[in-house]
Amino acid sequence: MRTSWPSARRPRAGASLPRRRSNERDDDLTRARLFCLFFLLCGMSLLVGARDIAWTQLFALSGDTWLTLTASRLPRLAALVLTGVGLSVCGVILQHIVRNKFVEPATSGGLDAAKLGILVSLTMTPAAGTAGKMAFALAFCFAASLVYVALIRRIRFKNTILVPVIGLVYGGVLSAVAEFYAYRNNILQSMQGWLLGDFSKIVQGNYEIIYLILPIVALTYLYAQRFTVLGMGEGMATSLGLNYGGTVALGLMLVAVTVAATVITVGAIPFVGLAIPNLVALRYGDNLGRTLPIVALCGASLLLACDIAGRLLIYPFEVPIGLTAGGVGGLLFLFLIIRGRR
């Protein structure tokens, strides 16, 4: 006896296609709006500064205006965009590895470990160049991330708030060790001034190492589906054929390279990798193949907005972006914690 479906409940072939097409149109529209906002912020970043530049002077290609653009404004713009993209992508990777939405380099000890690595390089190999300092920062950040992940995995009863709290305590210990080390070697004042997030020192010739973020973002997009599966947990990822340990090690290495390049170039900028992935995930979910371009655009736009605000608050002087981005990111962090508790 053949069972027929009631007419009101009979499934229709292709019933989900209109919804899928609607989602695709919404994604395209959102990306178009983000691109418009991003290019607007880029234009404002080129114009705002101690030396006023008008829109008409951007295409003059003459004298002081051209020198200001090529030696200062364009390098600063490139560093801002790459840093925002890199830190946001770092946050996404760490959140999928630890399976917690409140984890990023600033709340897992990564930034503090990179600072400690740079301080050790200044005392042990003072003649080392930027690449040498970055190697120390990368090694310390990668080792600290491994310890943090191992520590989290050993905790039997963990909730949404406990994991980042442990990371903050862990980072506080690493920061205390770094400050004590700097105090013993009489470089404490230099450390506090040098490692505060600041783009005012970015000029042509001393920022190019930050372009290492470009292959990091490309690799993250290439392995986006694997990182998405990684966020399902070790058991599920292993059952789906994923090399869990190797993927975690790859993700932590990508994070370590990005954090090291960022800290060595512009200093420590907290909370960007926490706020942006969470806000994007609230609207678009956790599929990195779909959301990673949006995360990258939003991260760059947030850092551009914070930098422009810092340049305008006490014009013609500027507030370091470590303060503006830390303040905005800290408020968003509190908002997300309060929202998560409800």
Side-chain angles (χ1 to χ4, degrees):
M1 179 177 180
R2 179 176 299 177
T3 303
S4 62
W5 290 89
S7 59
R9 297 181 180 179
R10 185 179 301 154
R12 294 176 299 169
S16 62
L17 288 179
R19 181 180 299 176
R20 184 181 304 172
R21 290 172 181 171
S22 177
N23 290 337
E24 291 176 355
R25 285 195 297 268
D26 290 342
D27 287 352
D28 293 339
L29 183 59
T30 299
R31 291 177 184 177
R33 290 173 178 173
L34 287 174
F35 268 113
C36 291
L37 175 62
F38 171 71
F39 285 118
L40 176 62
L41 291 171
C42 287
M44 293 178 63
S45 180
L46 291 176
L47 297 176
V48 174
R51 185 182 187 277
D52 293 330
I53 297 178
W55 282 104
T56 55
Q57 293 177 311
L58 288 177
F59 307 99
L61 306 181
S62 62
D64 294 341
T65 301
W66 179 246
L67 180 62
T68 302
L69 283 174
T70 56
S72 177
R73 300 288 174 86
L74 288 174
R76 181 169 183 153
L77 175 62
L80 280 164
V81 172
L82 290 173
T83 301
V85 171
L87 291 178
S88 300
V89 170
C90 278
V92 168
I93 295 174
L94 280 176
Q95 287 166 16
H96 279 74
I97 291 175
V98 184
R99 300 181 66 196
N100 188 282
K101 291 296 185 180
F102 296 141
V103 175
E104 62 117 22
T107 60
S108 62
L111 287 180
D112 301 289
K115 291 190 291 184
L116 179 58
I118 293 173
L119 293 174
V120 172
S121 72
L122 288 175
T123 55
M124 294 184 62
T125 57
T130 302
K133 295 183 180 68
M134 180 180 168
F136 272 86
L138 190 155
F140 274 72
C141 182
F142 182 68
S145 299
L146 286 175
V147 172
Y148 177 70
V149 171
L151 181 64
I152 293 302
R153 292 185 65 183
R154 290 182 66 87
I155 297 174
R156 181 174 301 176
F157 303 104
K158 50 181 179 283
N159 56 33
T160 304
I161 307 300
L162 181 61
V163 172
V165 168
I166 293 174
L168 290 172
V169 173
Y170 179 56
V173 172
L174 292 174
S175 180
V177 172
E179 291 187 8
F180 179 75
Y181 187 87
Y183 174 77
R184 288 294 301 270
N185 291 276
N186 200 26
I187 54 175
L188 181 61
Q189 185 174 1
S190 175
M191 179 199 76
Q192 292 174 343
W194 185 54
L195 293 177
L196 178 66
D198 185 13
F199 284 88
S200 62
K201 58 188 177 184
I202 295 296
V203 292
Q204 188 177 22
N206 77 336
Y207 81 103
E208 283 77 7
I209 198 170
I210 206 167
Y211 283 104
L212 284 172
I213 292 177
L214 287 176
I216 297 300
V217 175
L219 281 173
T220 304
Y221 191 78
L222 182 65
Y223 286 86
Q225 296 301 328
R226 299 189 184 187
F227 288 129
T228 301
V229 174
L230 195 70
M232 299 178 183
E234 183 176 1
M236 179 65 72
T238 304
S239 67
L240 292 174
L242 183 69
N243 183 354
Y244 184 82
T247 308
V248 168
L250 173 64
L252 293 180
M253 180 56 69
L254 296 179
V255 171
V257 173
T258 303
V259 172
T262 301
V263 172
I264 202 69
T265 306
V266 300
I269 303 175
F271 296 120
V272 176
L274 185 148
I276 295 301
N278 276 280
L279 294 176
V280 173
L282 287 175
R283 176 65 177 83
Y284 297 101
D286 294 320
N287 187 350
L288 294 187
R290 177 188 179 194
T291 63
L292 200 61
I294 301 176
V295 168
L297 270 177
C298 290
S301 299
L302 175 64
L303 218 57
L304 284 167
C306 290
D307 182 66
I308 293 170
R311 282 192 263 180
L312 294 176
L313 282 174
I314 53 174
Y315 183 86
F317 307 101
E318 65 177 84
V319 179
I321 197 169
L323 300 179
T324 55
V328 173
L331 291 175
L332 289 174
F333 178 57
L334 291 175
F335 166 74
L336 291 170
I337 286 180
I338 294 171
R339 186 181 184 278
R341 296 283 290 178
R342 292 180 178 176

